[in-house]
Amino acid sequence: MNNKVYSNMLIFSGFLWAVNGIVLSIITNLNIYENSGVRISFFSPIIFAGLNDLFAGVLLLLFNVISGKIREVCEVLKTKNGKIIIFAALIGGPIGQCMYLMGLSMAPVSYVMPVSALCPVFGMILSSFILKERINLKTQILIFGCVIGTVILSYTKPVGNYPKFYFGILFSLLAALSWGIEATLITFCTKGNVDEKIALNIREIVSGSFILFIILPLLRIFDSVFIVFDNKVAILYLFFAGLFAVLSYSFFYKGMKVLGVSKGMALNSTFSMWAVVLSVIFLSVPLTLNLLLGSIIVTGCVICLTLNN
């Protein structure tokens, strides 16, 4: 496959990630912990983050069992790359994914996702040091354009009851930093001949298990997980969120392996544009000038990046 195919693959991964974000946003607003106390309600996004990653990990595990790759998963875990993937999973999952869900619980998805799309900046800086990737001036300008677009999208506070909006933006920035680190480390491993689906399977299982079985018990809210399983609507949404996450990450890892972290993350960051479009259509989010202008800037930069590839 040529680079254009991988570019389109990364754009599609962005679309799927936006769909995942829309679904998770709906879950966080189901208020299933409304009568469970302020403490549990505040940390409920962490519960959803763990279940989302664990659902995705189980789906991938079934795929690897059917395709006869389960032994390869075990073998990779014993290697140096396997340990790096586990470390990356702990950064991208328990830190990145939890911060992302916390952001979604405090601000609209159409604002959280563009801010979290700043991860190409962190990925670009890290990849230049860790992977020794050379980033030409044109790519730097286009990635900077993506960043400007996301800043415009999230500059104005939305209309509505969002008292913790700026905390949501802060959590989104922390998610972007975490995902930038994770993407760089995962790409380092996949370039070392680790299959993308194997790396992703380890990532999701480690992340989901760590959140559910270590973080939640430490917060003394593990029992609240069973409240989710009593809600059939929430479980259905989590299943689809996990499925979309698996597909998105699969295309994301594959594209980064071929095109590199900087361009891969820039193209994947179209999830900011897709999030706005889907939010307007399905969540009735007002299409403001900031949203429209930011979407146009991000889209234009992404098209140029695709042609550049």
Side-chain angles (χ1 to χ4, degrees):
M1 290 190 289
N2 57 37
N3 286 355
K4 186 176 181 180
V5 173
Y6 288 107
S7 297
N8 293 332
M9 184 184 295
L10 283 160
I11 293 173
F12 187 57
S13 77
F15 171 77
L16 292 172
W17 188 247
V19 175
N20 171 268
I22 294 293
V23 175
L24 289 175
S25 179
I26 293 172
I27 295 172
T28 58
N29 288 287
L30 286 176
N31 295 323
I32 64 175
Y33 290 108
E34 189 174 9
N35 300 317
S36 302
V38 176
R39 188 168 180 273
I40 292 179
S41 295
F42 179 79
F43 288 116
S44 61
I46 296 178
I47 300 171
F48 297 135
L51 290 172
N52 175 71
D53 283 359
L54 192 62
F55 274 41
V58 170
L59 287 172
L60 274 167
L61 190 63
L62 290 173
F63 173 83
N64 285 323
V65 169
I66 295 172
S67 59
K69 292 184 177 181
I70 189 63
R71 181 177 296 179
E72 189 176 343
V73 174
C74 298
E75 291 175 352
V76 170
L77 283 171
K78 300 175 183 178
T79 65
K80 179 181 178 180
N81 282 335
K83 293 177 176 61
I84 294 175
I85 293 171
I86 291 173
F87 179 67
L90 294 176
I91 294 176
I95 299 177
Q97 190 73 359
C98 287
M99 294 299 99
Y100 173 59
L101 267 291
M102 291 295 288
L104 285 177
S105 70
M106 299 177 183
V109 62
S110 53
Y111 289 79
V112 170
M113 297 199 80
V115 173
S116 65
L118 293 171
C119 52
V121 177
F122 301 111
M124 179 183 70
I125 296 172
L126 291 168
S127 64
S128 64
F129 287 102
I130 298 176
L131 303 180
K132 307 301 180 182
E133 288 187 1
R134 292 184 177 181
I135 312 215
N136 60 42
L137 181 61
K138 184 177 180 181
T139 299
Q140 291 181 37
I141 292 173
L142 291 171
I143 291 176
F144 183 70
C146 289
V147 173
I148 292 297
T150 58
V151 169
I152 292 174
L153 282 167
S154 58
Y155 181 74
T156 305
K157 186 177 180 179
V159 177
N161 184 25
Y162 298 103
K164 300 177 182 177
F165 174 75
Y166 292 110
F167 280 107
I169 297 301
L170 176 60
F171 282 128
S172 303
L173 284 169
L174 292 174
L177 173 60
S178 301
W179 288 341
I181 296 172
E182 176 196 9
T184 303
L185 294 175
I186 291 292
T187 303
F188 174 81
C189 295
T190 55
K191 284 190 174 183
N193 297 322
V194 176
D195 184 87
E196 296 81 19
K197 288 186 176 60
I198 300 297
L200 179 55
N201 198 168
I202 296 171
R203 188 267 186 208
E204 297 289 28
I205 289 289
V206 168
S207 173
S209 299
F210 190 89
I211 294 171
L212 291 177
F213 304 117
I214 295 181
I215 292 180
L216 296 189
L218 287 174
L219 293 174
R220 298 182 181 179
I221 57 172
F222 180 77
D223 291 345
S224 57
V225 172
F226 299 106
I227 298 176
V228 180
F229 285 98
D230 287 335
N231 191 308
K232 294 181 180 179
V233 176
I235 288 296
L236 183 62
Y237 277 130
L238 281 167
F239 172 79
F240 281 109
L243 178 61
F244 290 129
V246 166
L247 295 173
S248 176
Y249 265 108
S250 296
F251 290 132
F252 183 37
Y253 284 1
K254 185 67 175 180
M256 283 197 302
K257 180 179 180 179
V258 176
L259 299 181
V261 171
S262 300
K263 292 181 181 179
M265 294 188 74
L267 290 170
N268 176 260
S269 68
T270 52
F271 63 73
S272 62
M273 176 193 68
W274 293 119
V276 172
V277 174
L278 294 174
S279 296
V280 171
I281 296 174
F282 295 105
L283 301 181
S284 301
V285 173
L287 183 60
T288 64
L289 178 61
N290 286 56
L291 290 177
L292 180 61
L293 182 60
S295 297
I296 292 173
I297 292 175
V298 171
T299 303
C301 290
V302 166
I303 291 174
C304 292
L305 273 170
T306 306
L307 294 175
N308 190 40
N309 282 333

